[in-house]
Amino acid sequence: MTKISTNNPATEKTIATYDLMSAETAFEKIEACHTAFLKWREKAHEDRAPYLIDIASALREKADELARLMTKEMGKLYRDGLAEVELCAQIFEYAAECGPAELADEERTHSGGEKQGFVVYSPIGVIYSIQPWNFPLYQPVRVLAANLMAGNAVMLKHATICTGSGLMLRDICIEAGLPEGLFDVLIIDHDVSDEVIEHKRVRGVTMTGSDTAGRRIGQKATQQLKKSVLELGSNDAYLVLEDADVELAVKTCVQGRIYNNGETCVSAKRFVVTEAVYDAFVSAFVEQMKAIKLGDPTHESTELGPVSSQEQFDTLVAQVKKSIEGGAELLCGGNPSDSVGHYYPATVLANCQPGTPAYDDELFGPVASVIKAKDDADAMRIANDSRYGLGGGIFSRDEDKALRLARDHFDTGMIRINSFGTADPNMPFGGVKHSGFGREHGGFGMKEFVNAKAIYLP
C-alpha cells in the first residue's frame, strides 16, 4: 500500500505517515456520504444552523491544537493559525445566522403577474472539495459551512502536506454532533481523484489551486457535465497612485506581501508605483522588508516563517532567478541560507519585465515585484495587464477616485482601498480571467451548488 508523509518545513522532520486509499475505499466513503446527505437534506435550514454553531464553538475550543498542527504542517506563524481558526468559526456562524434567509423560498408571479410561483433552492448531493495547503483550515471550511447550510454533503481531498489538518477538522465536526459521513476526507492520489469526479454520487466539484490544476479539474468536471467552482490564485497588483499616502502604502504593502509567509492567493504581489512617489515608496519599502524577522514560526517575535515545502522553495528560487535574468533588479533578499528549514527571506525585485515570472506569474512566497508606472492611468493599465484577476488594491488620498477606478476599471473580483485583507464572511470571494469562476462567502457560496427550482402554481 502506498504511503504519504507530512513534514515540518521548519525542521524538515516527518510529522506523520498515512496510507493512500484505494478507489474502492474512496467510493465506499462517497456512498456513505450520499446516504448521510439523504437524511440531512430533509432538515429545515433553521434545523441545520445549530450544528454549525456547535462546530464553531468546537473550533474555538481546539484553537491551540489546530494552530500548532497547521504551523507544523505548512510553516504558518502560530498566531496566524489562531486567527485562521477564529475566522473559520465566524464563517460557520455566518452561515448559520444568514443561511436561512439567503436560502429561503422566494415567492414570485408568472403569466403576466396573474399566477403564483416559487423559487426553491434545493440541495443537490455530494460536493467534492479539492483544497490547497496554504490555509489548511480555512480553505475547506469556506466550502463546508456554505454547503452544509444548503443541505449538501462534502467530501474533502486536502493537499497531501496538510492531511492531518483535514482529518482533525473532520473529527472536530463529528465530535460537535455533525452526522457521521456527511463530511469526510479522502486521502487519495490524482488518478483516484479523477475517478471521484466521475462518480455518479458526486454532483459538484470545487477546487482552489493553480490555474494549471484548475484547467485539469475543470475539464474533468465539464466532461461529466458537473458544475465546478474554481479559485485559481493570482498575481494581485496594488497601485500606489500619485496622491497616495506613501507611509500608509508602504506599511500596508509590506504586511500584504509577507502575510501567511507570502503564500496567499489574494495578497499583494505586484506593486505598481507611479513615478511621482516611486523613489519614496521603494526606499521605505525595501528598508522595511529588510527588517522583517525570519525564523521559527512558533516564536512570538517571528514575522516570517518558512515556505511550505522543498518543492515550493525550489519553485520560488527558480522564479526569482529567471526574473533577474530577464532584467529585474534585486533590491533585497533573494539569497536563502543553507540552514535547516525551507526559509526564504523577504525579497524585493524592481524593474520587473513582461515575460518573466515576477511580472506574469504568481510568486507564492515573500517576494515583491515592483513595477514603475508613468502616471495613474498607466498604473491601472499595468495592473490589468495580467492573465489573472482575483484581487488588488489602490492607495490614494482621494477615496472617491479610488472607488471609481475599482468599480469601473479594475478587472478583478476583489479590490482593497488603502488597506489589505484576505476574506470576510459577508463579502463575495472569487475572481475573473485565469483566477477562475464562481463565488464563495457573502451568501453567494451557499447558492453555487443548489438547484434553483421553479415551481408554478395554477
Side-chain angles (χ1 to χ4, degrees), residues 5 10 35 44 91 107 113 131 136 170 204 266 323 334-335 357 407 412 422:
S5 295
T35 299
I91 290 169
E107 186 173 353
Q131 299 302 326
R170 179 201 62 187
V266 56
S323 297
N335 293 297
R407 183 187 60 212
T412 68
T422 51

Side-chain angles (χ1 to χ4, degrees), residues 24-298:
E24 182 181 7
T25 300
F27 293 169
E28 289 173 357
K29 285 183 171 288
I30 292 169
E31 290 291 349
C33 193
H34 175 72
T35 299
F37 157 73
L38 294 177
K39 294 181 179 179
W40 183 252
R41 70 176 179 180
E42 296 177 356
K43 293 183 180 294
H45 300 117
E46 292 80 5
D47 294 332
R48 295 174 194 147
Y51 290 87
L52 275 61
I53 294 295
D54 288 344
I55 293 172
S57 297
L59 288 174
R60 289 191 175 104
E61 291 174 2
K62 295 278 189 177
D64 176 73
E65 189 176 351
L66 279 164
R68 292 190 184 282
L69 179 57
M70 288 190 283
T71 295
K72 286 181 181 178
E73 288 192 320
M74 55 75 58
K76 180 187 302 289
L77 297 186
Y78 169 69
R79 62 175 176 272
D80 287 347
L82 290 176
E84 184 172 338
V85 176
E86 176 56 29
L87 174 60
C88 290
Q90 292 176 13
I91 290 169
F92 275 109
E93 289 171 340
Y94 175 87
E97 293 164 8
C98 300
E102 289 283 351
L103 295 162
D105 296 350
E106 297 179 17
E107 186 173 353
R108 299 194 180 189
T109 58
H110 63 97
S111 300
E114 297 177 359
K115 298 182 180 181
Q116 186 182 23
F118 288 92
V119 177
V120 177
Y121 298 102
S122 301
I124 60 174
V126 176
I127 307 304
Y128 184 36
S129 176
I130 304 170
Q131 299 302 326
W133 44 260
N134 57 327
F135 289 90
L137 192 66
Y138 163 73
Q139 298 284 10
V141 160
R142 72 183 186 193
V143 173
L144 180 61
N147 281 285
L148 288 179
M149 175 48 66
N152 293 321
V154 177
M155 294 298 309
L156 169 66
K157 179 193 180 298
H158 217 330
T160 297
I161 69 173
C162 54
T163 298
S165 296
L167 293 172
M168 183 179 289
L169 173 61
R170 179 201 62 187
D171 293 346
I172 288 173
C173 288
I174 293 173
E175 291 168 8
L178 192 70
E180 201 158 345
L182 192 63
F183 167 54
D184 209 343
V185 176
L186 299 176
I187 307 174
I188 54 178
D189 61 21
H190 293 306
D191 290 338
V192 175
S193 180
D194 288 346
E195 293 185 59
V196 168
I197 294 173
E198 297 172 0
H199 196 285
K200 65 180 181 179
R201 298 299 189 195
V202 172
R203 295 290 300 276
V205 180
T206 180
M207 176 261 186
T208 299
S210 69
D211 49 334
T212 300
R215 284 191 187 88
R216 186 172 184 275
I217 299 300
Q219 184 180 43
K220 289 289 181 183
T222 300
Q223 286 173 346
Q224 301 300 315
L225 299 179
K226 296 178 182 181
K227 182 179 180 179
S228 60
V229 169
L230 303 176
E231 194 276 277
L232 306 178
S234 194
N235 60 354
D236 291 358
Y238 273 59
L239 283 62
V240 184
L241 302 184
E242 294 174 340
D243 63 348
D245 179 336
V246 173
E247 184 178 354
L248 173 65
V250 168
K251 178 182 177 181
T252 308
C253 289
V254 169
Q255 175 196 16
R257 183 66 291 231
I258 69 165
Y259 175 69
N260 202 49
N261 300 336
E263 298 169 314
T264 304
C265 53
V266 56
S267 70
K269 297 188 177 79
R270 291 183 299 147
F271 301 91
V272 185
V273 188
T274 53
E275 281 184 346
V277 294
Y278 184 85
D279 290 343
F281 175 87
V282 171
S283 176
F285 185 69
V286 170
E287 182 181 1
Q288 291 190 26
M289 288 287 277
K290 283 181 177 179
I292 294 298
K293 184 175 180 181
L294 179 68
D296 188 332
T298 64

Side-chain angles (χ1 to χ4, degrees), residues 302-314:
T302 298
E303 297 173 289
L304 182 65
V307 295
S308 62
S309 65
Q310 184 67 55
E311 180 183 7
Q312 190 61 33
F313 179 89
D314 292 342

